[in-house]
Amino acid sequence: MLSYKNFKEKSVLLKEGKLSLSDNISYFLSKIHESKNINAFNFVFEENAKKIAKEIETKVKNGKAGKLAGLVVAIKDVLSIKDLPTTCSSNMLRNFKSIYTATVVQRLINEDAIIIGKTNCDEFAMGSSNENSAFGRVLNPVNISHVPGGSSGGSAAAVAADLCDISLGTDTGGSIRQPAAFCGVYGLKPTYGLISRYGLTAFASSFDTIGPFAKNIEDIATVLEVISGKDELDSTSVQVGTNNYLENIFQNTKIKIGIAAEYFGEGIDKEIQNKIRNIINKLKDKGFEFIDISLPHSEYNIATYYILTTAEASSNLARYDGTRYGYRSNNNENLSEMYKSSRSEGFGKEVKRRIMLGTYVLSSGYYDAYYRKAQKVRRLIKNDFDDAFRKVDIILTPTSPFVAFKIGEKTNNPLEMYLSDIFTTSANLAGIPGINIPIGNNSNGLPIGMQLLANQFDESKLLQLSYFIQNNLLL
Ligand code: GLN
């Protein structure tokens, strides 16, 4: 059992000498070994983590340690760490080693966090169940016959199973929020541009974001402070005025909450609906104002998302052709045969499906009908949110229409799998932040998630309301 409930407490225990960081690392490492069947990690950096823990213990003693001294972090295996593997859970990159370190990881290391390993995920972050991994599927630690969600399934499972303090995942269409909902933890998808993507393997560059999983909002805020902000190495990153996220969560701003009928329609699990209604009623009792809003283009979210992200993916993944890095087929008598065989043998089924879809929507004759049209619809979806955020501060929705499904249940029906993302893709289309809050379990003991969305760069309000809910309605 861990003797602290959040990193702030851990930090105090470390400083007062009441917790040994080496023991803490050993605890996580032994839990990782015990939980091998969950398959949350592609790589565990056992020796290195122990060594760094000793160094940080000395730094703490000498009062020279960074802000995150002793925070034990797992990193999704799509983020680069110099000289270590980055596989994206794909055979294409099984033997690839990173030549530089992602900015997010570097910022954590600079503040003395300890990287314990790299987590399993859907291949190239494409999927909603973590069943599309060349490193094998991940099991949901809450109930191992169910999926952990995806694509950051390993990162969510690692936090839920107590294999680390926090983890990083990525969210292109829901890959942080949905697995957080399935595993019963917090997961933040930040505003596009708030966190540098340098060192993240691109899936759909105008959608990709990086964010933390944690067991509480305090840790989410603490990590966000460290990893957010302008980075010269990512021209889409920006500096926002303040980043005192942790201090801000304790504040009591008046927050207006919007409810969109489009997110409470048919097809949502009854128990999810009831739990969320219950939270809404409690918030009303506490004096929060609720306003009905409309996001009329919501019905196009999934179609627009899958046209645009596959188009971007088909372009981003063109670099894996056996020439410069990654897998090269033995069948390489001539150049075009080498390209073809390397890609056919290196990529998994779902990745190929996306590349084909994306190539199709970008091809001449279809570009206008699909790609250009979808770009226009993306703008309309963003406009809906702009209108809504003129009236409210936060929009409250379910994270997923269903709880964690059984392993294998949706693998033969990609369309059904894509519907997992029905409530999460809009935030990526609009570039706004969203968070999953674990609000309890259903009658089978499976976690239920609620999503809060905020306007661009309004993470402070998002975390404030999340903290209020955590402390007043859930604990
Ligand atoms: N599940 C979605 C997909 O398969 C989202 C993936 C993601 O956010 N990386 O595309």
Side-chain angles (χ1 to χ4, degrees):
M1 267 280 283
L2 292 172
S3 55
Y4 50 90
K5 73 171 200 302
N6 56 36
F7 176 66
K8 218 171 142 198
E9 281 189 15
K10 179 177 190 176
S11 191
V12 173
L13 292 176
L14 288 174
K15 278 187 199 132
E16 291 176 349
K18 291 184 182 146
L19 175 72
S20 137
L21 195 50
S22 295
D23 289 353
N24 181 245
I25 284 285
S26 302
Y27 168 82
F28 284 129
L29 290 170
S30 68
K31 278 222 104 172
I32 291 173
H33 287 299
E34 277 165 33
S35 316
K36 268 252 162 345
N37 64 325
I38 289 175
N39 201 24
F41 283 88
N42 286 350
F43 305 97
V44 181
F45 308 135
E46 191 156 345
E47 291 317 312
N48 198 51
K50 285 188 196 158
K51 187 177 126 237
I52 304 280
K54 286 225 169 65
E55 287 170 17
I56 292 174
E57 266 175 332
T58 316
K59 277 193 181 182
V60 172
K61 265 193 208 120
N62 299 337
K64 290 218 167 80
K67 199 170 155 178
L68 299 182
L71 180 73
V72 178
V73 186
I75 304 285
K76 185 177 182 179
D77 199 12
V78 293
L79 289 160
S80 295
I81 311 178
K82 193 171 184 312
D83 299 330
L84 294 173
T86 298
T87 70
C88 301
S89 295
S90 178
N91 283 328
M92 187 57 100
L93 292 174
R94 192 174 277 275
N95 299 313
F96 177 76
K97 284 219 166 84
S98 315
I99 51 172
Y100 56 82
T101 299
T103 299
V104 274
V105 177
Q106 194 58 54
R107 288 187 179 179
L108 293 174
I109 293 173
N110 291 349
E111 292 296 340
D112 290 328
I114 302 173
I115 312 299
I116 197 162
K118 298 194 82 181
T119 51
N120 201 341
C121 56
D122 283 300
E123 184 177 1
F124 285 101
M126 297 172 187
S128 307
S129 67
N130 220 132
E131 291 166 297
N132 305 329
S133 165
F135 287 67
R137 63 199 172 197
V138 176
L139 309 182
N140 189 322
V142 180
N143 180 332
I144 57 167
S145 52
H146 292 252
V147 302
S151 64
S152 315
S155 298
V159 169
D162 254 351
L163 312 182
C164 55
D165 288 319
I166 68 124
S167 63
L168 290 188
T170 61
D171 192 311
T172 302
S175 281
I176 291 175
R177 291 158 289 156
Q178 185 255 19
F182 280 18
C183 293
V185 296
Y186 291 86
L188 172 74
K189 175 236 175 274
T191 304
Y192 182 83
L194 184 69
I195 295 176
S196 166
R197 288 178 294 115
Y198 180 74
L200 161 64
T201 315
F203 161 10
S205 311
S206 77
F207 291 75
D208 296 339
T209 55
I210 302 166
F213 289 89
K215 276 165 276 190
N216 58 78
I217 289 296
E218 295 90 318
D219 288 2
I220 296 265
T222 305
V223 170
L224 188 63
E225 283 190 11
V226 171
I227 62 176
S228 60
K230 177 75 189 164
D231 172 21
E232 290 307 324
L233 299 168
D234 173 3
S235 60
T236 63
S237 69
V238 289
Q239 189 64 47
V240 280
T242 145
N243 73 343
N244 296 329
Y245 296 109
L246 184 60
E247 205 180 292
N248 272 329
I249 60 174
F250 307 112
Q251 246 134 65
N252 234 335
T253 335
K254 218 169 144 10
I255 290 175
K256 272 193 219 156
I257 305 169
I259 299 288
E262 293 86 353
Y263 283 71
F264 286 90
E266 270 168 45
I268 306 172
D269 177 299
K270 277 274 162 315
E271 287 193 72
I272 296 182
Q273 293 222 22
N274 290 341
K275 267 253 172 350
I276 292 185
R277 294 273 167 218
N278 198 337
I279 296 274
I280 295 175
N281 289 336
K282 285 187 185 162
L283 285 170
K284 281 183 183 161
D285 287 346
K286 299 270 183 197
F288 283 89
E289 185 184 350
F290 277 80
I291 298 176
D292 286 331
I293 52 151
S294 176
L295 298 163
H297 294 92
S298 300
E299 62 178 301
Y300 305 112
N301 288 348
I302 290 286
T304 311
Y305 170 82
Y306 275 97
I307 290 171
L308 295 178
T309 55
T310 56
E312 292 188 24
S314 75
S315 160
N316 275 326
L317 272 63
R319 73 192 71 180
Y320 307 106
D321 57 11
T323 309
R324 262 195 308 176
Y325 44 70
Y327 174 77
R328 178 180 298 175
S329 170
N330 289 327
N331 186 6
N332 53 18
E333 288 132 49
N334 61 54
L335 194 60
S336 76
E337 205 44 59
M338 193 270 279
Y339 287 163
K340 230 188 327 188
S341 307
S342 299
R343 289 168 70 78
S344 303
E345 293 160 21
F347 287 135
K349 213 163 117 195
E350 181 61 26
V351 174
K352 284 182 196 159
R353 187 181 354 255
R354 306 261 178 136
I355 293 174
M356 284 189 276
L357 268 170
T359 307
Y360 179 80
V361 300
L362 285 174
S363 57
S364 85
Y366 296 102
Y367 183 95
D368 285 329
Y370 294 106
Y371 183 74
R372 193 192 302 276
K373 186 77 146 279
Q375 288 286 34
K376 291 180 178 170
V377 179
R378 184 179 193 179
R379 166 55 62 181
L380 296 175
I381 291 165
K382 170 79 169 72
N383 290 349
D384 284 354
F385 279 106
D386 288 347
D387 287 344
F389 286 123
R390 271 183 215 109
K391 301 182 196 114
V392 299
D393 304 296
I394 299 286
I395 299 170
L396 185 157
T397 81
T399 303
S400 159
F402 33 72
V403 294
F405 43 89
K406 283 234 166 75
I407 287 167
E409 195 179 314
K410 295 188 198 286
T411 35
N412 293 326
N413 190 340
L415 204 56
E416 247 200 54
M417 189 72 92
Y418 294 172
L419 289 177
S420 306
D421 309 314
I422 191 145
F423 301 138
T424 47
T425 50
S426 54
N428 305 74
L429 285 157
I432 60 173
I435 192 166
N436 175 69
I437 302 185
I439 56 168
N441 293 343
N442 75 1
S443 44
N444 293 323
L446 291 167
I448 291 179
M450 181 176 83
Q451 175 176 240
L452 301 181
L453 300 170
N455 207 351
Q456 281 176 311
F457 301 107
D458 217 354
E459 271 78 3
S460 283
K461 266 192 212 129
L462 192 69
L463 296 179
Q464 252 173 48
L465 182 59
S466 305
Y467 182 71
F468 182 90
I469 294 172
Q470 170 192 287
N471 266 25
N472 295 285
L473 310 184
L474 301 176
L475 289 182

